[in-house]
Amino acid sequence: ERDKYENNDVAGVVTGLAWTRVGGDILFIESILSKGKGNLNITGNLGKVMKESATIAMEYIKAHAEEFGIIPTIFEKYNVHIHVPEGATPKDGPSAGITMLTSLVSLFTQRKVKKSVAMTGEITLRGKVLPVGGIKEKILAAKRARIKEIVLCEDNRRDIKEIKEEYLKGLTFHYVTDMSQVLDVALTKQKVKNAKKL
Amino acid sequence: ERDKYENNDVAGVVTGLAWTRVGGDILFIESILSKGKGNLNITGNLGKVMKESATIAMEYIKAHAEEFGIIPTIFEKYNVHIHVPEGATPKDGPSAGITMLTSLVSLFTQRKVKKSVAMTGEITLRGKVLPVGGIKEKILAAKRARIKEIVLCEDNRRDIKEIKEEYLKGLTFHYVTDMSQVLDVALTKQKVKNAKKL
Amino acid sequence: ERDKYENNDVAGVVTGLAWTRVGGDILFIESILSKGKGNLNITGNLGKVMKESATIAMEYIKAHAEEFGIIPTIFEKYNVHIHVPEGATPKDGPSAGITMLTSLVSLFTQRKVKKSVAMTGEITLRGKVLPVGGIKEKILAAKRARIKEIVLCEDNRRDIKEIKEEYLKGLTFHYVTDMSQVLDVALTKQKVKNAKKL
Amino acid sequence: ERDKYENNDVAGVVTGLAWTRVGGDILFIESILSKGKGNLNITGNLGKVMKESATIAMEYIKAHAEEFGIIPTIFEKYNVHIHVPEGATPKDGPSAGITMLTSLVSLFTQRKVKKSVAMTGEITLRGKVLPVGGIKEKILAAKRARIKEIVLCEDNRRDIKEIKEEYLKGLTFHYVTDMSQVLDVALTKQKVKNAKKL
Amino acid sequence: ERDKYENNDVAGVVTGLAWTRVGGDILFIESILSKGKGNLNITGNLGKVMKESATIAMEYIKAHAEEFGIIPTIFEKYNVHIHVPEGATPKDGPSAGITMLTSLVSLFTQRKVKKSVAMTGEITLRGKVLPVGGIKEKILAAKRARIKEIVLCEDNRRDIKEIKEEYLKGLTFHYVTDMSQVLDVALTKQKVKNAKKL
Amino acid sequence: ERDKYENNDVAGVVTGLAWTRVGGDILFIESILSKGKGNLNITGNLGKVMKESATIAMEYIKAHAEEFGIIPTIFEKYNVHIHVPEGATPKDGPSAGITMLTSLVSLFTQRKVKKSVAMTGEITLRGKVLPVGGIKEKILAAKRARIKEIVLCEDNRRDIKEIKEEYLKGLTFHYVTDMSQVLDVALTKQKVKNAKKL
Ligand SMILES: [Ca+2]
Ligand SMILES: [Ca+2]
Ligand SMILES: [Ca+2]
Ligand SMILES: [Ca+2]
Ligand SMILES: [Ca+2]
Ligand SMILES: [Ca+2]
Ligand SMILES: [Ca+2]
Ligand SMILES: [Ca+2]
Ligand SMILES: [Ca+2]
Ligand SMILES: [Ca+2]
Ligand SMILES: [Ca+2]
Ligand SMILES: [Ca+2]
């Protein structure tokens, strides 16, 4: 099984939940910075909608830089690259939105991502979190990958209620409506070791 | 049901009415500003015609900046991102035109959008409002979402007349021919809380 | 019926005649200027050939700026947006060429377009006007829309002769071979009210 | 019949011979200059190969500017637009190459094109002229359009020999191997009236 | 047989293992530098995912330049071209990721690649190595090409265990989890002869 | 027959061997320089792989400018246009690689190409020459076109051995492994008449 590696030592790596033709799966959003002129690079065999999620996340952060404690001039000095590993698998849909936003906030603040957290949810340009599909399959995949806490849209609470209790053992759910709540759950106050000085 | 959130605290968020394969629906146009060089970013799984509506709205505002009390040099200092949530649903057609223009005027003036208003109509480059289809389905969707006031093209008045009275209870209609009338109905004189200084 | 609005108060709006799958129709060419760097934006769900017409019109005007009394340096200071309303209808073909050129000359000179005139014809880069198809259907549509004068290519005169006299009542025809003749018929010497100072 | 207009008063307009699905036809290559930065615009509903011919012609002239008496710095100060009228007809193939090159040399030197000449032939980057197909159909079309002199590749001489003598009456043929011979036949030493000063 | 040439005298040439429709094969990743502005050129008849691998490798190196002893300002002064020979064969998939990264590190450090090493594995933006498919076929191809050492993802160890012992004779396997381990195995400390001074 | 012209008076024109649906053929690679900013223009109705060959050739020369006696700053001062005549025929594949590289070296050094030489072979970014297909058909085409010397990859020697002796009469073969050997055979030390001063 490929999906066991986990690592919150590096900023910008966040675990998401995906729904593929062969069932639920976890996926990783990775983002890095390199000196540049503000370009956004997106890879991982992604479809149009998933690429749009990356753009929305990036623009949201730019528009709310101060709230996140990010100096706005930073955006013009670095290129951002967002990647979703396992290039052989085509990926699409809006559900990685909150994972991408969390990844980017971690990257630009160098804050450490909480251990054993995974998430799934669409993001809007206002920072609202929207519900997504395939919840049952995603939860089963999360358990297999030893995830402990899961962030979902409040409107997906009903989907969890329809899942047999025994499948939910050992999982903590965080239901959110706004992006700020996702970040409260998923990002620690602590910086990563060897945090980059931006 | 996903379509209950409503929020006029933020500039640039306006409710539209859409006609999809599964019936009428409401949709939200969201727009935000970030420091930049005048680029226009459009997301939300939109087709060519709906993207053109965004371009038309943007160009119209640029050409009529003074009338809206917008300082023309602002356009070169910011990037605009327009997003239509629910990325899993492909969207197209010209009927979000007036919603997009209202969103952008709110964004650039930071004026508050009126509560409980929704709208649908094509915009022309002269600021004329053109009629659109699917009116009956759109009205039913608006009621379900607790919309109180609806802005339509004057030429869509006949479509409303064909709808049974009982479905229209509690709804106020504003029939317009020009974009300026849309803005009169939909935007308050008041600025949003924590209005951005542009 | 959507096709009754008419308005020659604004520079850059000209009435054309189109031939669609459902018969003849009138269409409007709208163009506006905004401060910029000489970009040309074209919208309205147009096909490749119709977009080329807009390019040809624009380049023709640039190459003959002095003849039209336009200061050539203006072209680098403004962006031009050409739009053809009714985005739900795909449009293509070369027959809007003379309408587009008239629209742009009106825009850059702020000269008023003559009332009740419509036109159809292909333009060449030399300013020649070429004949187009669907004349009968276009004429019927023009009558329905209360057009009084129609500009056509000299080579389309034969198509008019084949139409029953009674359908032509109340219509004046202007047969032209060169673009300069179109402008003589369609543009007044008068500037529009509140003409832009370019 | 559309194909009667002919006009050598303007620089940059040259008559070519084309082979379409409905038989032979004449076509016009039109080119104009406007102040700019050296961009090349190509319109007329052309396919990839025919657009390449325009690029080849342009690059050939740039590389041989001195031979043609053209000041090389001119190329950066103007935009060139090449158009092939009758946008409703898709056009492709390499056979307009020599017509395009003749058009551009006329344009940049403002030399008058000889009256009643038409041509067809592929151009190479070295200035060689290559034979093309559809010769018989093209010749018949030329006669109908009252062309008097025709420029062809030397290797197309055999195609002319296979045509009945009576169809060739009144036509003079110029067989060429190099682009310089085309220009000797097709361009006069005289400048056009009101020649542009470049 | 085409696949015998081998050469570690030049920086930037690394041997990979590929899985094609006709079985396993070795392939070469070649990269070169030319004075430029930081552009990345990718050729070799590659599909989208394989091109993404090149981008990921390039961005990873930019983000970790110091660790590799590369002066970051170098990236803006050179263009990089990555090529995978045998253009007649379409190639795709993520498995050349570690080969590309090794090639680029060799190129920018001018360090010599170890002789007789081949590799296959996906790279992530964090420098993790992921397992890939077609291991058995790739190993057989490596033997045919006289490869001695093979670098694989730790998670591909199980695939090797399923191969008959006799096929593995003469091969040394290096199982890795991180990109740094690949470089430890594949790059010598020595610079190539006539190393470029960057 | 079109394929008889031959001319080594001009730099940048080199004869290649191609394999098309209708058998073997010779083709010409033509390249020219015009003042510019380092752009590369490629025409001739070429597919993706053949265009990549041109890019590889260009980048190889840039990376090895000194070895060829080319001043590297030249590349930013000129645009290069590579053309393969006979635009009506689609062309693809990597086998023109060595012909393109020879053409470009001739162009940038203004060295004369040897008379009666033709070649076919893929080029790699390291300057290796790879074997290609269709050798028999190409050789027959070369004889018809009165070629005297042929440059092939060493690995294509076996293909020549399978051809009947009588077909090879009058042909000299040069088997190569590296690009430098191709240039030794194909380029003379002599500059072309009226060599351009770069
Ligand atoms: Ca997986
Ligand atoms: Ca997710
Ligand atoms: Ca909805
Ligand atoms: Ca709407
Ligand atoms: Ca209409
Ligand atoms: Ca028209
Ligand atoms: Ca014709
Ligand atoms: Ca022609
Ligand atoms: Ca191979
Ligand atoms: Ca590989
Ligand atoms: Ca041939
Ligand atoms: Ca060849």
Side-chain angles (χ1 to χ4, degrees):
Chain A
E1 213 2 303
R2 206 188 245 211
D3 297 338
K4 283 165 309 191
Y5 62 96
E6 230 163 84
N7 187 334
N8 67 345
D9 292 347
V10 182
V13 182
V14 185
T15 308
L17 299 174
W19 184 28
T20 71
R21 255 163 297 172
V22 298
D25 200 357
I26 68 167
L27 56 73
F28 297 88
I29 304 295
E30 305 176 334
S31 55
I32 59 171
L33 291 171
S34 60
K35 298 260 167 175
K37 299 183 172 175
N39 297 326
L40 175 59
N41 225 322
I42 306 166
T43 54
N45 201 354
L46 310 185
K48 164 186 150 182
V49 173
M50 200 161 174
K51 280 185 185 166
E52 286 190 353
S53 291
T55 308
I56 295 165
M58 194 65 219
E59 289 300 312
Y60 183 82
I61 290 178
K62 282 186 189 170
H64 295 84
E66 287 95 349
E67 299 168 29
F68 297 127
I70 302 168
I71 304 163
T73 50
I74 273 180
F75 300 116
E76 304 155 20
K77 295 183 192 151
Y78 289 91
N79 293 335
V80 179
H81 187 140
I82 299 178
H83 177 60
V84 191
E86 304 194 23
T89 308
K91 309 167 194 78
D92 206 354
S95 80
I98 65 173
T99 324
M100 285 173 160
L101 186 54
T102 304
S103 167
L104 289 175
V105 173
S106 166
L107 182 70
F108 279 108
T109 60
Q110 294 285 306
R111 284 166 64 187
K112 200 168 184 166
V113 178
K114 200 174 175 184
K115 234 178 155 172
S116 309
V117 168
M119 62 188 69
T120 183
E122 179 173 349
I123 183 176
T124 78
L125 213 44
R126 286 180 290 163
K128 292 286 173 194
V129 177
L130 301 185
V132 295
I135 294 297
K136 190 179 171 189
E137 291 80 359
K138 287 172 174 174
I139 298 306
L140 297 180
K143 279 205 77 166
R144 283 197 305 272
R146 314 220 172 144
I147 298 297
K148 301 291 178 228
E149 300 182 59
I150 292 177
V151 185
L152 291 174
C153 176
E154 178 61 50
D155 288 355
N156 279 128
R157 189 191 289 266
R158 83 187 75 175
D159 300 293
I160 298 300
K161 284 191 178 146
E162 290 169 2
I163 301 176
K164 277 193 190 160
E165 197 99 337
E166 57 185 287
Y167 292 138
L168 304 178
K169 244 180 232 164
L171 288 176
T172 306
F173 290 92
H174 303 271
Y175 298 107
V176 301
T177 58
D178 292 274
M179 199 55 220
S180 58
Q181 299 167 310
V182 179
L183 299 175
D184 285 350
V185 173
L187 292 186
T188 69
K189 301 283 176 198
Q190 206 182 340
K191 297 225 168 188
V192 293
K193 206 167 39 178
N194 304 320
K196 267 203 171 190
K197 262 156 219 151
L198 300 177
Chain B
E1 217 355 311
R2 206 188 245 211
D3 296 340
K4 283 164 310 190
Y5 63 97
E6 231 163 83
N7 187 334
N8 67 344
D9 292 347
V10 182
V13 182
V14 185
T15 309
L17 299 175
W19 185 28
T20 71
R21 256 162 296 171
V22 299
D25 201 357
I26 68 167
L27 55 74
F28 297 88
I29 304 297
E30 305 176 333
S31 55
I32 58 170
L33 291 171
S34 60
K35 297 260 168 175
K37 299 183 173 175
N39 297 327
L40 175 59
N41 225 321
I42 306 166
T43 55
N45 201 356
L46 310 185
K48 163 186 151 183
V49 173
M50 200 161 175
K51 280 185 186 166
E52 286 190 353
S53 291
T55 308
I56 295 165
M58 194 66 218
E59 290 301 311
Y60 183 81
I61 290 178
K62 282 186 188 169
H64 295 84
E66 288 95 349
E67 298 168 29
F68 297 127
I70 302 169
I71 304 163
T73 51
I74 272 180
F75 300 116
E76 305 155 21
K77 294 183 192 152
Y78 289 90
N79 293 334
V80 179
H81 187 140
I82 300 178
H83 178 60
V84 191
E86 305 193 23
T89 309
K91 309 167 193 78
D92 207 353
S95 79
I98 65 173
T99 324
M100 285 173 161
L101 186 55
T102 304
S103 167
L104 289 174
V105 174
S106 165
L107 182 70
F108 279 108
T109 60
Q110 294 286 304
R111 284 167 64 187
K112 200 168 185 165
V113 178
K114 201 173 174 184
K115 233 177 154 173
S116 309
V117 168
M119 63 188 69
T120 183
E122 179 174 349
I123 183 176
T124 79
L125 213 45
R126 286 179 291 161
K128 292 285 174 194
V129 177
L130 301 185
V132 296
I135 293 297
K136 191 179 170 188
E137 291 80 0
K138 287 172 173 174
I139 298 306
L140 297 180
K143 279 205 77 166
R144 282 196 306 272
R146 313 220 173 144
I147 298 296
K148 301 293 178 225
E149 301 182 58
I150 292 176
V151 185
L152 291 174
C153 176
E154 179 61 50
D155 288 355
N156 278 127
R157 189 191 289 268
R158 82 187 75 174
D159 300 294
I160 298 299
K161 285 193 177 144
E162 289 169 2
I163 301 175
K164 278 194 189 159
E165 196 99 338
E166 56 186 287
Y167 292 138
L168 304 176
K169 243 179 231 164
L171 289 175
T172 306
F173 290 93
H174 303 271
Y175 298 107
V176 301
T177 58
D178 291 274
M179 199 55 219
S180 57
Q181 299 166 310
V182 179
L183 299 175
D184 285 348
V185 173
L187 291 186
T188 69
K189 301 281 176 200
Q190 207 183 339
K191 298 225 167 186
V192 293
K193 206 167 37 178
N194 305 320
K196 269 204 168 188
K197 260 156 222 153
L198 300 177
Chain C
E1 215 0 308
R2 209 186 242 211
D3 296 339
K4 283 164 310 190
Y5 61 96
E6 230 163 82
N7 187 335
N8 67 344
D9 291 347
V10 182
V13 182
V14 185
T15 308
L17 299 175
W19 185 28
T20 71
R21 256 163 296 172
V22 298
D25 201 357
I26 67 166
L27 56 74
F28 297 87
I29 304 296
E30 304 177 334
S31 55
I32 59 170
L33 291 171
S34 60
K35 298 260 167 174
K37 299 184 171 174
N39 297 326
L40 174 60
N41 225 322
I42 306 166
T43 54
N45 200 357
L46 310 185
K48 163 185 151 182
V49 173
M50 200 161 175
K51 280 185 186 166
E52 286 190 352
S53 291
T55 308
I56 296 164
M58 194 66 219
E59 289 300 311
Y60 183 81
I61 291 179
K62 282 187 188 168
H64 296 83
E66 287 96 348
E67 298 169 27
F68 297 127
I70 302 168
I71 305 163
T73 51
I74 272 180
F75 300 116
E76 305 156 20
K77 294 184 192 151
Y78 289 91
N79 292 335
V80 178
H81 187 141
I82 299 178
H83 178 60
V84 190
E86 304 192 23
T89 308
K91 310 169 192 75
D92 206 354
S95 79
I98 65 174
T99 324
M100 285 173 162
L101 186 55
T102 305
S103 167
L104 289 174
V105 173
S106 166
L107 183 70
F108 279 109
T109 60
Q110 294 286 305
R111 284 166 65 188
K112 201 168 184 164
V113 178
K114 201 174 176 185
K115 233 177 155 172
S116 309
V117 168
M119 63 188 68
T120 183
E122 180 173 347
I123 182 176
T124 77
L125 213 45
R126 287 179 291 162
K128 292 284 174 196
V129 177
L130 301 185
V132 295
I135 294 297
K136 190 179 170 188
E137 291 80 359
K138 287 172 174 174
I139 298 305
L140 297 180
K143 279 205 77 167
R144 282 196 307 271
R146 314 220 171 144
I147 298 297
K148 301 292 179 224
E149 301 183 58
I150 292 176
V151 184
L152 291 174
C153 177
E154 178 62 48
D155 288 354
N156 279 128
R157 190 191 289 265
R158 81 187 76 172
D159 300 293
I160 297 299
K161 284 191 177 146
E162 289 169 2
I163 301 176
K164 278 194 188 159
E165 195 99 339
E166 57 185 288
Y167 292 138
L168 304 176
K169 243 179 230 163
L171 288 175
T172 306
F173 290 92
H174 303 270
Y175 298 107
V176 301
T177 58
D178 292 274
M179 199 56 220
S180 58
Q181 299 166 311
V182 179
L183 299 175
D184 285 349
V185 173
L187 291 186
T188 69
K189 302 281 177 200
Q190 205 183 340
K191 298 226 168 186
V192 293
K193 205 166 40 177
N194 304 319
K196 269 203 169 188
K197 261 155 221 152
L198 300 178
Chain D
E1 215 358 308
R2 210 187 242 211
D3 296 338
K4 283 164 311 191
Y5 62 95
E6 231 164 82
N7 187 333
N8 68 343
D9 292 346
V10 182
V13 182
V14 185
T15 308
L17 299 174
W19 185 28
T20 71
R21 255 163 297 172
V22 298
D25 201 357
I26 67 166
L27 56 74
F28 297 88
I29 304 295
E30 305 176 334
S31 56
I32 59 170
L33 291 171
S34 60
K35 298 259 166 173
K37 300 183 172 175
N39 297 325
L40 174 60
N41 225 321
I42 306 165
T43 54
N45 200 356
L46 310 185
K48 163 185 152 183
V49 173
M50 200 162 176
K51 280 185 186 165
E52 287 190 352
S53 290
T55 308
I56 296 165
M58 194 65 221
E59 290 300 311
Y60 183 80
I61 291 178
K62 282 186 188 169
H64 295 82
E66 287 95 349
E67 299 168 28
F68 298 127
I70 302 169
I71 305 163
T73 50
I74 272 180
F75 300 116
E76 304 156 22
K77 295 183 191 152
Y78 289 90
N79 293 334
V80 178
H81 187 141
I82 299 178
H83 177 60
V84 190
E86 304 193 24
T89 308
K91 310 168 193 77
D92 206 354
S95 79
I98 65 174
T99 324
M100 285 174 162
L101 186 55
T102 305
S103 167
L104 289 175
V105 173
S106 165
L107 183 70
F108 278 109
T109 59
Q110 295 287 305
R111 285 166 65 187
K112 201 167 183 165
V113 178
K114 201 174 176 185
K115 234 176 154 174
S116 308
V117 168
M119 62 189 67
T120 183
E122 181 174 348
I123 182 176
T124 78
L125 213 44
R126 286 180 290 162
K128 294 284 174 195
V129 177
L130 301 185
V132 296
I135 294 297
K136 190 179 171 190
E137 291 80 359
K138 287 173 173 174
I139 298 306
L140 298 180
K143 279 205 78 166
R144 282 196 307 271
R146 317 221 170 145
I147 298 296
K148 301 289 178 230
E149 301 183 59
I150 291 176
V151 184
L152 291 174
C153 177
E154 178 61 48
D155 288 354
N156 279 128
R157 189 191 289 266
R158 82 187 75 172
D159 300 293
I160 297 299
K161 285 190 178 146
E162 290 169 3
I163 301 176
K164 278 194 187 158
E165 194 101 337
E166 57 184 286
Y167 293 137
L168 303 177
K169 241 179 232 163
L171 289 175
T172 307
F173 290 93
H174 302 271
Y175 297 107
V176 300
T177 58
D178 291 274
M179 199 56 220
S180 57
Q181 300 166 310
V182 179
L183 298 175
D184 285 349
V185 173
L187 291 187
T188 69
K189 301 282 177 200
Q190 205 181 341
K191 296 225 168 187
V192 292
K193 204 166 42 175
N194 305 319
K196 268 203 169 188
K197 260 155 222 152
L198 300 177
Chain E
E1 212 3 305
R2 208 187 244 214
D3 296 338
K4 282 165 310 193
Y5 62 96
E6 230 164 84
N7 187 334
N8 67 343
D9 292 347
V10 182
V13 181
V14 185
T15 308
L17 299 174
W19 185 28
T20 71
R21 255 163 298 172
V22 298
D25 200 357
I26 68 167
L27 56 73
F28 297 88
I29 305 295
E30 304 176 334
S31 56
I32 59 170
L33 291 171
S34 61
K35 298 259 168 175
K37 300 184 172 173
N39 296 326
L40 175 59
N41 226 321
I42 306 166
T43 54
N45 201 355
L46 310 185
K48 164 186 149 182
V49 172
M50 200 161 174
K51 280 185 186 166
E52 286 190 352
S53 291
T55 308
I56 295 165
M58 193 65 219
E59 289 300 312
Y60 183 81
I61 290 178
K62 282 186 188 170
H64 295 83
E66 287 95 350
E67 299 168 29
F68 297 127
I70 303 168
I71 303 163
T73 51
I74 273 179
F75 299 117
E76 305 156 21
K77 295 184 191 151
Y78 289 90
N79 293 335
V80 178
H81 187 140
I82 299 177
H83 177 60
V84 191
E86 305 193 23
T89 307
K91 309 167 193 77
D92 206 354
S95 79
I98 64 173
T99 324
M100 285 173 161
L101 186 54
T102 304
S103 167
L104 289 175
V105 174
S106 165
L107 182 70
F108 278 109
T109 60
Q110 294 286 306
R111 285 167 64 188
K112 201 168 184 164
V113 178
K114 201 175 176 184
K115 234 178 155 171
S116 309
V117 168
M119 62 189 67
T120 183
E122 180 174 349
I123 182 177
T124 78
L125 213 44
R126 284 180 290 162
K128 293 284 173 195
V129 177
L130 301 186
V132 296
I135 293 298
K136 190 179 172 189
E137 291 80 358
K138 288 173 173 174
I139 297 306
L140 297 180
K143 278 205 79 167
R144 283 196 306 272
R146 316 222 170 144
I147 298 297
K148 301 290 178 230
E149 301 182 59
I150 293 177
V151 185
L152 291 175
C153 177
E154 178 60 50
D155 288 354
N156 278 128
R157 189 190 288 266
R158 83 187 76 174
D159 300 293
I160 298 300
K161 284 190 177 147
E162 290 169 1
I163 301 176
K164 277 193 190 161
E165 197 100 337
E166 58 186 285
Y167 293 139
L168 303 178
K169 244 180 231 163
L171 287 176
T172 306
F173 290 92
H174 302 271
Y175 297 107
V176 301
T177 58
D178 292 275
M179 199 55 220
S180 58
Q181 299 167 310
V182 179
L183 299 175
D184 285 349
V185 173
L187 291 186
T188 69
K189 300 283 177 199
Q190 205 181 341
K191 297 226 168 188
V192 293
K193 203 167 41 177
N194 304 320
K196 266 202 170 190
K197 261 156 220 151
L198 300 178
Chain F
E1 211 4 302
R2 211 187 239 213
D3 296 338
K4 282 165 310 193
Y5 61 96
E6 231 164 82
N7 187 334
N8 68 343
D9 292 346
V10 182
V13 181
V14 185
T15 308
L17 299 174
W19 185 27
T20 71
R21 254 163 299 172
V22 297
D25 201 357
I26 69 166
L27 56 73
F28 297 88
I29 304 295
E30 304 177 335
S31 55
I32 59 170
L33 291 171
S34 60
K35 298 260 167 173
K37 300 183 172 175
N39 296 326
L40 174 59
N41 225 321
I42 306 165
T43 54
N45 200 357
L46 311 185
K48 164 186 150 182
V49 173
M50 200 162 174
K51 280 185 186 166
E52 286 190 351
S53 290
T55 308
I56 296 166
M58 193 65 220
E59 290 300 311
Y60 183 80
I61 291 178
K62 281 187 188 169
H64 295 82
E66 287 94 351
E67 299 168 28
F68 297 127
I70 303 169
I71 304 163
T73 51
I74 273 180
F75 300 116
E76 304 156 21
K77 294 184 190 151
Y78 289 91
N79 292 335
V80 178
H81 188 140
I82 299 178
H83 178 60
V84 191
E86 305 194 23
T89 308
K91 309 168 193 76
D92 207 354
S95 79
I98 65 173
T99 325
M100 285 174 161
L101 186 55
T102 305
S103 167
L104 289 175
V105 174
S106 165
L107 183 69
F108 278 108
T109 60
Q110 294 287 307
R111 285 166 65 187
K112 201 168 184 164
V113 178
K114 201 174 177 185
K115 234 177 155 172
S116 308
V117 168
M119 61 189 68
T120 183
E122 180 173 348
I123 182 177
T124 77
L125 213 44
R126 286 180 290 163
K128 293 284 174 195
V129 177
L130 301 185
V132 296
I135 293 298
K136 190 179 173 190
E137 291 80 358
K138 287 172 174 175
I139 297 306
L140 297 180
K143 278 205 79 166
R144 283 195 306 271
R146 317 221 169 144
I147 298 297
K148 301 289 179 230
E149 301 183 58
I150 292 177
V151 185
L152 291 175
C153 176
E154 179 60 50
D155 288 354
N156 279 128
R157 189 191 289 266
R158 82 188 76 173
D159 300 293
I160 297 300
K161 285 191 178 147
E162 290 168 4
I163 301 176
K164 278 193 188 160
E165 196 100 337
E166 58 185 286
Y167 293 139
L168 303 177
K169 242 180 231 163
L171 288 176
T172 306
F173 289 92
H174 302 271
Y175 297 107
V176 300
T177 58
D178 291 274
M179 199 55 221
S180 57
Q181 299 167 310
V182 179
L183 299 174
D184 284 349
V185 173
L187 291 187
T188 69
K189 301 282 177 200
Q190 205 181 342
K191 297 226 168 188
V192 293
K193 203 166 43 176
N194 304 319
K196 267 204 169 189
K197 261 156 222 152
L198 300 178

